[in-house]
Amino acid sequence: MQDNRVKIHKVETLSHDWYLLQKTTFDYLRRDGAWQTQTRETYDRGNGATILLYNRARRSVILIRQFRFPTYGNGHDGFLIETAAGLLDQASPEERIKLEVEEETGYRVAEVCKVFEAFMSPGSVTEKLYFFVAEYEPGARAGDGGGVVAEGEDIEVLELPLEQALHMVADGRIADGKTIMLLQYAQLHLLPPPAPRKDAMMILIAGPYRSGTGDDPALMAANVAAMEAFALPRYQAGHMPVLGEWLALPLLKLAGSAQVGDAAFERIFHAQGGDDPARQAASPLTRGAPLGAACGAPGRMGIVRRGAVDSAAFDSYGGTFSSSELALR
């Protein structure tokens, strides 16, 4: 039996202030049959539970942001985005997490589902964490949440689209292990990506980038941001939005462009017609066949020119576009 491989000789208490820090000396039977004396320090704070609240209709999740001192100064500002969590304190994992999630987020859930349990830092911390998920309803919020002030909690509640939360994992804004595990579980089992639309299109979103800005970098960046704001809902609707700037701007750096309007800028950025209608008419991007064919769907590329339609008409991205919105379909 595995217990026969460990013989504990001495346990010393190093600290018992907030939680219990101990130093243990023991003999360990190695796989080669030799006994080896080892010493380990362990931190015992009890077991805990964590939960991801999700809404299937909205494809959203509830997370929290709070200050975590141990991360402060270790390459982080200390403000972690996390799933709600808490120590069991002699309660069952199910009982504790229901109380904890309402205390921290304000959402009251009647049923929770345990998905797995795991040791999060087995090299030094004894804690086992129980992982739960539960579907929330916006109307089921019983309070503001925020945690317990007397315990030093100052919690901000966040409602995020799952896709945005996963992007925040990729770019490092979400760096908490338990939260990443539950978000990945949600992506795999709770809110998988929607099936591709049969009428899905690649939509080229075109608009002024440099025009009217006086070559002010801030205004040019604002133009790109405005076009990207149009791109997200089209992607969420099952289409594939494309901005020419996503290709052209990185190429400018590779081509050695030092400033707006220099030779490299003109050669790269206006290779497909730029803001000149006459050049756009002759551009292969505007004619559409090469790009449509490259996507395996000739004739299914739409071109939406920002500024050519009002926002109300432009928001009809769900599947039907008016003739004024599409240069071709």
Side-chain angles (χ1 to χ4, degrees), residues 163-245:
E163 288 76 12
Q164 180 180 348
L166 292 169
H167 182 71
M168 294 168 73
V169 171
D171 66 21
R173 284 178 289 170
I174 293 179
D176 173 65
K178 65 182 183 296
T179 306
I180 294 172
M181 293 166 70
L182 280 174
L183 289 173
Q184 291 178 339
Y185 179 89
Q187 183 185 32
L188 290 172
H189 303 288
L190 303 176
L191 302 172
R197 295 176 54 139
K198 293 182 180 180
D199 62 345
M201 294 186 299
M202 173 172 282
I203 302 174
L204 175 62
I205 300 178
Y209 166 65
R210 182 183 178 189
S211 302
T213 65
D215 291 346
D216 183 332
L219 294 178
M220 294 166 72
N223 279 342
V224 173
M227 287 185 280
E228 289 178 335
F230 284 128
L232 179 58
R234 274 116 207 119
Y235 176 78
Q236 292 172 330
H239 301 293
M240 178 55 68
V242 177
L243 270 68
E245 284 75 10

Side-chain angles (χ1 to χ4, degrees), residues 1-275:
M1 295 180 61
Q2 296 297 316
D3 289 346
N4 295 332
R5 297 183 64 177
V6 178
K7 297 179 181 179
I8 296 176
H9 292 295
K10 183 169 62 174
V11 179
E12 304 171 73
T13 297
L14 303 180
S15 173
H16 199 177
D17 184 6
W18 190 250
Y19 295 113
L20 178 61
L21 178 63
Q22 293 180 313
K23 178 180 178 181
T24 301
T25 302
F26 60 95
D27 288 341
Y28 170 72
L29 179 60
R30 300 178 60 86
R31 289 181 297 128
D32 61 6
W35 286 92
Q36 182 180 38
T37 300
Q38 299 185 8
T39 300
R40 294 290 185 272
E41 291 184 5
T42 55
Y43 193 53
D44 186 352
R45 57 195 302 270
N47 295 329
T50 185
I51 189 168
L52 178 68
L53 298 182
Y54 69 97
N55 184 278
R56 199 177 302 275
R58 295 188 179 198
R59 292 187 58 80
S60 58
V61 295
I62 298 296
L63 301 176
I64 62 173
R65 180 172 14 227
Q66 62 180 324
F67 183 70
R68 296 292 202 180
F69 182 77
T71 70
Y72 180 69
N74 188 19
H76 199 277
D77 62 7
F79 289 91
L80 286 188
I81 297 175
E82 310 176 44
T83 48
L87 296 178
L88 301 187
D89 293 332
Q90 308 306 315
S92 72
E94 290 80 5
E95 290 172 338
R96 175 53 58 190
I97 200 58
K98 289 180 183 179
L99 295 172
E100 200 71 33
V101 72
E102 183 174 343
E103 184 179 280
E104 295 190 356
T105 71
Y107 286 93
R108 182 173 296 164
V109 293
E111 299 294 332
V112 297
C113 176
K114 193 184 91 167
V115 291
F116 49 80
E117 53 192 67
F119 292 99
M120 298 302 293
S121 186
S124 58
V125 180
T126 65
E127 180 185 17
K128 178 191 291 184
L129 195 60
Y130 297 84
F131 290 75
F132 293 87
V133 296
E135 190 158 7
Y136 75 94
E137 295 296 336
R141 195 171 187 190
D144 294 331
V148 180
V149 175
E151 296 178 2
E153 293 180 325
D154 180 24
I155 294 172
E156 177 186 359
V157 182
L158 307 173
E159 183 176 26
L160 300 172
L162 175 62
E163 288 76 12
Q164 180 180 348
L166 292 169
H167 182 71
M168 294 168 73
V169 171
D171 66 21
R173 284 178 289 170
I174 293 179
D176 173 65
K178 65 182 183 296
T179 306
I180 294 172
M181 293 166 70
L182 280 174
L183 289 173
Q184 291 178 339
Y185 179 89
Q187 183 185 32
L188 290 172
H189 303 288
L190 303 176
L191 302 172
R197 295 176 54 139
K198 293 182 180 180
D199 62 345
M201 294 186 299
M202 173 172 282
I203 302 174
L204 175 62
I205 300 178
Y209 166 65
R210 182 183 178 189
S211 302
T213 65
D215 291 346
D216 183 332
L219 294 178
M220 294 166 72
N223 279 342
V224 173
M227 287 185 280
E228 289 178 335
F230 284 128
L232 179 58
R234 274 116 207 119
Y235 176 78
Q236 292 172 330
H239 301 293
M240 178 55 68
V242 177
L243 270 68
E245 284 75 10
W246 290 344
L247 173 65
L249 294 179
L251 288 179
L252 288 175
K253 294 182 179 180
L254 292 175
S257 175
Q259 62 182 13
V260 175
D262 63 15
F265 182 99
E266 296 296 333
R267 183 174 67 254
I268 297 298
F269 195 81
H270 293 296
Q272 301 297 344
D275 293 331

